Amino acid sequence: MTDDALNTPQGDEDPTAVHVDQFLAHPPATVWRALTEPDLLAQWMMPGDFRLEVGHRYTMEAVPVPATNFSGTVQAEVLAYEPERMLRLSWADAYPERGNDMVSTVTWTLEPEGRGTRLFLVQKGFEAGDELHQRARRIMGGGWKSHVIAALERFLDKTD
């Protein structure tokens, strides 16, 4: 639905972003470790050479998605972080010459909620009028919700 006062899309109707809001029954410190410790991150998300340092560039290996020209290799960079609160990354296909030149920003935000954590994820950078970007947004939106966050939850439950 559109907010008429601001004339801006809200929630999943924002064609330029994916929004995820998930409660995790684990404290922020535990969730933060899963998001930022390379050996833990590799167990539930994608293997890569992550390091919590602004400006650090690294790659992660995923499954190629031919429908969006995604090669399967993510080129990422740590843009900003606030310990146990926020992590912002730049994501791009490591091989844009293969047809996927999209660059997005992924921001994880953690808020304490009771004995757990409210985890917000926002991925921005999808062009509203670009069919390939919109296909990628739909696929990634579903993947964040049904696969990535679910994998994080399973990992956290298993490590408690």
Side-chain angles (χ1 to χ4, degrees):
M1 183 171 286
T2 300
D3 181 334
D4 293 328
L6 299 175
N7 197 24
T8 58
Q10 301 296 307
D12 286 339
E13 293 186 27
D14 179 353
T16 66
V18 171
H19 299 266
V20 178
D21 172 347
Q22 180 70 40
F23 176 78
L24 301 170
H26 303 274
T30 302
V31 176
W32 181 254
R33 287 186 60 228
L35 291 174
T36 61
E37 292 186 16
D39 57 327
L40 302 181
L41 187 59
Q43 292 180 50
W44 66 270
M45 193 170 182
M46 291 182 270
D49 53 340
F50 176 85
R51 188 170 63 239
L52 187 60
E53 177 182 301
V54 172
H56 175 64
R57 292 175 185 230
Y58 62 102
T59 58
M60 296 181 290
E61 295 298 324
V63 177
V65 182
T68 63
N69 295 333
F70 174 57
S71 71
T73 303
V74 177
Q75 180 65 54
E77 180 180 353
V78 178
L79 300 176
Y81 71 91
E82 297 173 39
E84 296 185 21
R85 169 139 169 53
M86 184 274 298
L87 174 63
R88 182 167 297 126
L89 309 165
S90 170
W91 276 25
D93 194 307
Y95 304 99
E97 66 276 6
R98 295 184 185 171
N100 186 330
D101 62 353
M102 186 179 81
V103 177
S104 65
T105 302
V106 175
T107 304
W108 300 90
T109 305
L110 292 72
E111 293 182 4
E113 185 174 308
R115 293 182 182 197
T117 303
R118 178 64 58 181
L119 180 66
F120 299 95
L121 173 129
V122 177
Q123 182 176 13
K124 293 182 177 182
F126 303 94
E127 293 181 23
D130 186 306
E131 184 179 325
L132 193 64
H133 281 220
Q134 291 307 299
R135 187 176 310 134
R137 185 180 72 84
R138 286 188 299 276
I139 291 169
M140 293 171 94
W144 281 120
K145 295 170 187 174
S146 66
H147 292 66
V148 179
I149 301 295
L152 173 59
E153 277 190 295
R154 285 190 303 275
F155 173 77
L156 292 170
D157 291 346
K158 163 177 92 168
T159 58
D160 257 356

